[in-house]
Amino acid sequence: MNRSAPWFTVPSVPVVGVEHPFLITDIKRAVDTLGCANKVESLVGQTSASVEADLHLRPGDRDSKPIASFNSKTDNVLLKVTVPKRTGRKRRKASDREWQNDAEAPASKARLLSDPRDARRLVQSMRDNSDRYHIEPMGFVRQTHRFRRRKHLDYRLLSVLIA
């Protein structure tokens, strides 16, 4: 039995990482906070460490100052991991036993309760489907923009009456 790890060829696609400080539920709004799609695309072509991305907390407000990023050099690989969809079956907590049918919750409710972005659930799903998951390298991440600076407090005076 061959227990060696598989070898993958990583394509030379330019990829830039952005550690967004918010939980992303809407990709369009996340891109709007970074400027626009053109500004995000311009980050991909830049190789200089002095290039910064700007994060706008209120994208439509010209008075709101953006937060600048720290551009860090990294040597990471972006992976696309594909696992089969959940079927509505569940296991008892802290158990490695086989999956059991979930009679109480329909499959749609079980799908809503499981967050696919959770790393623990991804690892558990890969263990459960050890012969059916697929990993594909997408490209090298050579730089990552991290937003670590504090935002200057600004207060909107739209509803304040000035006498």
Side-chain angles (χ1 to χ4, degrees), residues 112-136:
L112 289 175
L113 295 175
S114 69
D115 188 4
R117 296 170 293 202
D118 189 5
R120 282 180 272 140
R121 291 196 181 168
L122 175 64
V123 171
Q124 185 65 48
S125 180
M126 289 173 67
R127 283 187 188 130
D128 294 338
N129 302 296
S130 60
D131 56 342
R132 293 185 285 167
Y133 70 87
H134 180 71
I135 296 177
E136 179 183 357

Side-chain angles (χ1 to χ4, degrees), residues 6-13 15 76-83 122 126 132-141:
W7 285 81
F8 294 104
T9 303
V10 181
S12 61
V13 176
V15 178
N76 298 327
V77 177
L78 178 65
L79 297 176
K80 176 181 176 183
V81 180
T82 307
V83 293
L122 175 64
M126 289 173 67
R132 293 185 285 167
Y133 70 87
H134 180 71
I135 296 177
E136 179 183 357
M138 303 303 289
F140 284 110
V141 181

Side-chain angles (χ1 to χ4, degrees), residues 19-25 30 33 55-58 67 147:
E19 291 184 4
H20 205 286
F22 303 123
L23 177 66
I24 304 298
T25 56
T33 60
L55 179 74
H56 300 270
L57 297 181
R58 293 191 303 259
I67 302 172
F147 297 96

Side-chain angles (χ1 to χ4, degrees), residues 18-155:
V18 176
E19 291 184 4
H20 205 286
F22 303 123
L23 177 66
I24 304 298
T25 56
D26 185 6
I27 299 295
K28 184 183 179 315
R29 288 185 65 194
V31 170
D32 288 344
T33 60
L34 293 170
C36 63
N38 294 335
K39 288 187 180 180
V40 173
E41 288 176 10
S42 69
L43 293 176
V44 175
Q46 302 292 334
T47 57
S48 172
S50 64
V51 175
E52 295 179 342
D54 290 332
L55 179 74
H56 300 270
L57 297 181
R58 293 191 303 259
D61 190 1
R62 290 183 291 168
D63 296 330
S64 177
K65 295 179 182 175
I67 302 172
S69 69
F70 288 111
N71 188 358
S72 305
K73 289 189 177 189
T74 55
D75 287 321
N76 298 327
V77 177
L78 178 65
L79 297 176
K80 176 181 176 183
V81 180
T82 307
V83 293
K85 288 185 179 180
R86 264 194 78 178
T87 60
R89 298 179 300 159
K90 69 176 186 177
R91 79 171 81 231
R92 299 190 125 193
K93 286 187 178 181
S95 170
D96 287 333
R97 285 194 264 162
E98 291 294 318
W99 288 90
Q100 303 169 351
N101 283 332
D102 186 7
E104 308 100 43
S108 61
K109 184 178 179 184
R111 209 173 303 122
L112 289 175
L113 295 175
S114 69
D115 188 4
R117 296 170 293 202
D118 189 5
R120 282 180 272 140
R121 291 196 181 168
L122 175 64
V123 171
Q124 185 65 48
S125 180
M126 289 173 67
R127 283 187 188 130
D128 294 338
N129 302 296
S130 60
D131 56 342
R132 293 185 285 167
Y133 70 87
H134 180 71
I135 296 177
E136 179 183 357
M138 303 303 289
F140 284 110
V141 181
R142 299 287 184 200
Q143 59 183 348
T144 300
H145 291 273
R146 296 181 173 113
F147 297 96
R148 300 287 192 253
R149 296 182 179 131
R150 290 186 174 221
K151 171 76 172 126
H152 291 292
L153 293 177
D154 52 345
Y155 183 72

